[in-house]
Amino acid sequence: AVAGDDEIGRLAHSFNRMSAGIVERENRIYHLAFHDSLTGLPNRTYFRQALDQAMTRAGRAGEQVAVLCLDLDGFKGVNDTLGHPAGDSLLRHVGTILLDLAPDGMVSRLGGDEYAIILDGGFDPDRPRALAQAIIDRGATPMATDGHQIATGFSIGIAIGPDDGADPDQLLKNAD
């Protein structure tokens, strides 16, 4: 810390302000690289890294990792009939629903209308099935978004490692 109003003090103050700006930009760049810009959820890259870490932890602890892959049914029709702004609003709404239903998991948007959830850390053996059923049940009710009631549903696949895949790629492929 440099105190003073002389030239050195002003220079130090400017340097500290510049340094704080660089840190803020670096944080923004990191967030943009690992999060979906539409929903703010972790993206495919972040998801893949998190799945790799979860499988490593689970392997050491002798636990399981569950991956749920979800597709939004009829999403193309929403974009085609109501437009992309309504489709974007629906995708954000779905992200919020998934976060509400899976507070114990990591929810990601992999792209388009595809989402994925990681459950790890010693979850109840019925939790993946129960979560999938809760998502399907919630999707049975039309979603109010952007002034429209949109009837949609979900297609969900579940894979539980290491039984359904010993590595992240295989586990994700089997859930998909």
Side-chain angles (χ1 to χ4, degrees), residues 71-125:
D71 285 324
L72 194 57
D73 297 338
F75 180 70
K76 183 179 179 327
V78 172
N79 272 343
D80 291 348
T81 58
L82 300 177
H84 289 277
D88 290 350
S89 180
L90 178 62
L91 292 172
R92 284 189 294 272
H93 187 67
V94 166
T96 300
I97 289 169
L98 295 176
L99 286 170
D100 288 344
L101 293 174
D104 55 338
M106 192 194 83
V107 178
S108 300
R109 178 171 175 235
L110 302 183
D113 65 343
E114 187 179 4
Y115 296 82
I117 301 172
I118 299 172
L119 297 175
D120 69 336
F123 55 86
D124 182 274

Side-chain angles (χ1 to χ4, degrees), residues 28-47:
R28 261 197 332 257
I29 289 168
Y30 176 84
H31 189 270
L32 289 172
F34 292 106
H35 291 81
D36 174 57
S37 60
L38 181 65
T39 63
L41 294 172
N43 64 15
R44 182 179 293 274
T45 302
Y46 190 103
F47 172 84

